[in-house]
Amino acid sequence: MALNLNNVSLRISAGFTRQFPGDPIPQVAFSGRSNVGKSSLINSLLNRKSLARVSAAPGKTITVNFYEIDKKLFFVDLPGYGFAKRRAEDQAVWSQLTDGYFTDNKNIDRVGPVIQLIDSRIGPTADDEMMLDYLIQTGLPFFVVATKADKLNATERKKSEELFANHPLIPKETPVLFYSSLKTEGRQELWKLISAYTGVKL
């Protein structure tokens, strides 16, 4: 039975690993820098305008947000990383909470894929590379979404595609999808990938 995207809600904004839901349903996790466009992408996928809040101050809130979709699937918005103005103590909270999602998650066997978002205009930053390396070490299935694709002209797009295709921390078999939340480019293809990994049909 297909997912009902009209039956979507924020289940919990978890500030501690003990608050993570234990429902036996697949979890699709979204990882990326604080200003990479995670909230916009989640809203785009779910045909919503403001379910996932786009922060005016990236990196301000440090929680793991669980969006429950038709009681069959969780979209998990991991706290953004790489925000230069974040205090050291906040960075420690981010590390503890994000690492806890992968190491202290009672439903870790239901996590996958992890969708790693990277700004298509910039390519993988040092922080992105650390996260890619971490994902490889976890052994969890993941793929890469290059966000803000509408900001690229044809020449920039080709250069960006080559950069992602040849990056040493993006395995050759890992899907790389260019996405525009503004124009919904890549939306159908991303849902197909999510369905293929989770078995949940749109």
Side-chain angles (χ1 to χ4, degrees), residues 1-11 22-27 46 67-75 110 200:
M1 187 177 293
L3 283 177
N4 177 9
L5 294 187
N6 291 317
N7 185 20
V8 179
S9 63
L10 174 60
R11 172 71 169 272
D23 308 48
I25 58 177
Q27 298 183 12
L46 298 176
Y67 297 96
E68 186 177 45
I69 306 169
D70 203 22
K71 300 187 184 303
K72 298 173 185 173
L73 181 69
F74 279 123
F75 274 4
R110 298 185 182 275
V200 177

